[in-house]
């Protein structure tokens, strides 16, 4: 009967065969000699030969007596090479020699040993081995020999380790993930309680990472995250835990602090460390700053979840305080965080509920004293009353809701003004504000083209307003989209000019048609003031670049006079009109006469000629 073939069939069978072979060997050791024994021995030998488990037999001094072919395959040693040599031949440097001595001791005294140990192949490669060792006694009850069954479990262990790694570490940065962070933080709390010291949890978010990621691409984004992770760990040192919670959010656990002020020092240190640009793998440099929120054990909270939540809340406070800064949690923050959560929750339903509306602020052409256009401004009447755009637009941008809202604003503005044009204001233009995200995501020019076609508003009647920071956030990619918009025939305005860092020289390369000087510079336009000088220069430069200039937030006659003297093209502001409800706007424009607002200027403002 070909035992070998039968044995090789299944794993279950194989395990049974190991047992059988061992039993036979035991009897062979115990009662040698008889004819039947010789037969059994032949069977046993055959079984061992065909097994895929490596089996070896050692004598009392742990010298090899026999090995099966699987043993040779596993270790690389042929039978003739090992017979007579000591089993220490396979000892690996992964364990101390005393470890092997101990195991052999156990086997000698207890008759069995099973476990895992590293072994060395003939070619010098180490492998992890699962051992089943037992003693075979001779007739007199003396130790006759040892039978060892070996299984190479290196691959299996590696796979297990990989799984464990994936469950606990972030593969992008190799930092602990949320799971391991929670575990380490819990242990840190136990230690701090025992030692009576403090722990700081720092929640760190990279400023404007999303813009960078969107503009440079995700591969560059990944490199930035890896570089930021390294910078962070280098700054706080190898003994403190730095974890990545996902996205551009990192957490640092600082242990052994004597005071909360030490956490502030660390946060300042981290911000200072990020002043140096990050070096990406391909030697490209990028400047990015973090905003940090801090929560302290036991001052602020006692449990990991609470500490993390508070640090997160404090981080938002740091962002609100202008980014590139840190903020330590206080109870008062919780209230504003809850409010923010409520507003962003409500924002999601805002369109369905019809809580948004547009108001329209007229714009005056100074030279002809005619109202030539209106700016559409968004208003939200929420369940709790009116919420100003400066408050909810940043939240809508953060959550991405601005995409839907922005499209609604554009369609609504075009619909309204197209209607007013048909009702007797044929030349009226409308300006619509655009957020960074709208320009970045999807096919914005395509969407604008569709809305114009659907609403019937002539493209020349539409102006899109973009702030400097919107344009500069992703200059190259935006330039293409801006050109596509100009190709549609719409005008493009730089909004709030003067509040950002862009230079006119740079903006000149982009296809803008209009520049809106921010209210901040219009506020103090007394002769000789610094703002007056800036505004005069901007007006002169804009003219030389062929841009139309609109001054925003004009509230007084004096401001108007100054702007007219310096040949500003148009004004907008409370002097002329506040933003008006749609129902009042067309009537206001029709009624408007230069004299209505400011009799003393009537002669100056009357149409020339
Ligand atoms: P903006 O585009 O610069 O709009 C001008 C802001 O100045 C408006 O504030 C307007 O009401 C206000 N304003 C106009 N004249 C005067 C004045 O003489 N004195 C004073 N003190 N203020 C004046 P509002 O409506 O609160 O809007 C604030 C900002 O919110 C806007 O600034 C714009 O950046 C943004 N925004 C408004 N509607 C939208 C929208 O539909 N989409 C987007 N993305 N942003 C919008
Ligand atoms: Mg605007
Ligand atoms: Mg503005």
């Amino acid at each position: 009967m070909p035992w070998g073939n039968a044995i090789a069939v299944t794993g279950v069978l194989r395990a049974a065969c190991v047992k059988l072979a061992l039993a036979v060997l035991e009897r062979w050791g115990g009662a040698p000699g008889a004819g039947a024994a010789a037969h059994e021995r032949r069977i046993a030998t055959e079984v061992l030969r065909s097994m895929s488990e490596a089996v070896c037999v050692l004598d009392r001094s742990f010298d090899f007596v026999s090995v099966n072919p699987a043993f040779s395959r596993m270790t690389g040693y042929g039978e003739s090479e090992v017979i007579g040599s000591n089993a220490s031949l396979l000892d690996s440097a992964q364990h101390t020699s005393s470890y092997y001595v101990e195991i052999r001791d156990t086997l000698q005294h207890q008759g069995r040993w099973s476990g895992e140990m590293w072994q060395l192949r003939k070619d010098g490669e180490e492998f992890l081995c699962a051992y089943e060792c037992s003693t075979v006694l001779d007739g007199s009850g003396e130790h006759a020999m040892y039978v060892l069954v070996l299984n190479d479990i290196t691959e299996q262990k590696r796979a297990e380790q990989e799984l464990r790694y994936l469950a606990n570490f972030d593969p992008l940065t190799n930092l602990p993930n949320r799971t391991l962070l929670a575990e380490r933080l819990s242990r840190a709390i136990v230690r701090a309680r025992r030692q009576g010291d403090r722990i700081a949890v720092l929640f760190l978010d990279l400023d404007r990472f999303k813009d960078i990621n969107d503009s440079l691409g995700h591969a560059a984004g990944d490199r930035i995250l890896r570089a930021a992770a390294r910078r962070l760990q280098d700054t706080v040192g190898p003994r403190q835990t730095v974890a990545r919670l996902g996205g551009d959010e990192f957490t640092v656990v600082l242990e052994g602090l004597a005071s909360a002020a030490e956490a502030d020092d660390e946060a300042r240190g981290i911000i200072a460390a990020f002043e140096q640009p990050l070096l990406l793998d391909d030697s490209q440099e990028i400047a990015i700053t973090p905003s940090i929120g801090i929560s302290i054990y036991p001052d602020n909270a006692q449990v990991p979840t609470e500490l993390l939540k508070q640090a997160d809340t404090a981080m938002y406070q740091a962002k609100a305080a202008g980014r590139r800064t840190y903020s330590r949690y206080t109870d008062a923050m919780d209230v504003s965080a809850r409010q923010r959560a409520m507003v962003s929750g409500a924002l999601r339903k805002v369109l369905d509920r019809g809580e948004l509306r547009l108001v329209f602020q007229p714009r005056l052409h100074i030279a002809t004293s005619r109202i030539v256009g209106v700016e559409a401004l968004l208003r939200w009447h929420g369940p709790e009353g009116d919420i100003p755009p400066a408050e909810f637009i940043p939240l809508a941008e953060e959550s991405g809701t601005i995409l839907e809202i922005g499209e609604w604003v554009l369609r609504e503005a075009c619909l309204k003004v197209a209607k007013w044009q048909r009702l007797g204001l044929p030349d009226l233009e409308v300006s619509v504000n655009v957020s960074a995200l709208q320009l970045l995501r999807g096919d914005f020019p395509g969407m604008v083209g569709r809305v114009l076609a659907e609403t019937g508003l002539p493209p020349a009647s539409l102006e899109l307003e973009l702030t400097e920071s919107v344009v500069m956030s992703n200059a190259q990619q935006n330039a293409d989209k801006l050109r596509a918009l100009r190709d549609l025939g719409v005008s493009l305005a730089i909004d709030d000019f003067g509040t950002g860092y862009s230079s006119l020289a740079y903006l000149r390369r982009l296809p803008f048609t209009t520049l809106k000087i921010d209210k901040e510079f219009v506020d103090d336009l007394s002769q000789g003031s610094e703002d007056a000088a800036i505004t005069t220069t901007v007006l002169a430069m804009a003219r030389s670049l062929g841009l139309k200039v609109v001054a925003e937030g004009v509230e007084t006659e004096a401001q108007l006079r100054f702007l007219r003297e310096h040949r500003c093209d148009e004004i907008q502001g409370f002097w002329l009109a506040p933003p008006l409800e749609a129902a009042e706007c067309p009537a206001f424009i029709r009624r408007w006469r230069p004299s209505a607002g400011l009799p003393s200027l009537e002669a100056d403002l009357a149409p020339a000629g």
Side-chain angles (χ1 to χ4, degrees), residues 421 427-430 452 457-463 488-491:
Q421 288 185 343
D427 300 324
L428 192 69
E429 294 166 10
V430 62
L452 284 170
L457 186 80
S461 303
L462 176 66
E463 180 171 71
L488 286 175
V490 304
S491 309

Side-chain angles (χ1 to χ4, degrees), residues 495-496 518 552:
D495 202 356
D496 304 346
D518 193 62
E552 290 187 287

Side-chain angles (χ1 to χ4, degrees), residues 375 433 465 467 494-497 516-519 552 572:
E375 176 174 3
N433 293 285
E465 295 190 4
T467 60
I494 303 162
D495 202 356
D496 304 346
F497 185 77
K516 298 189 85 174
I517 301 182
D518 193 62
K519 177 178 182 305
E552 290 187 287
Q572 190 182 327

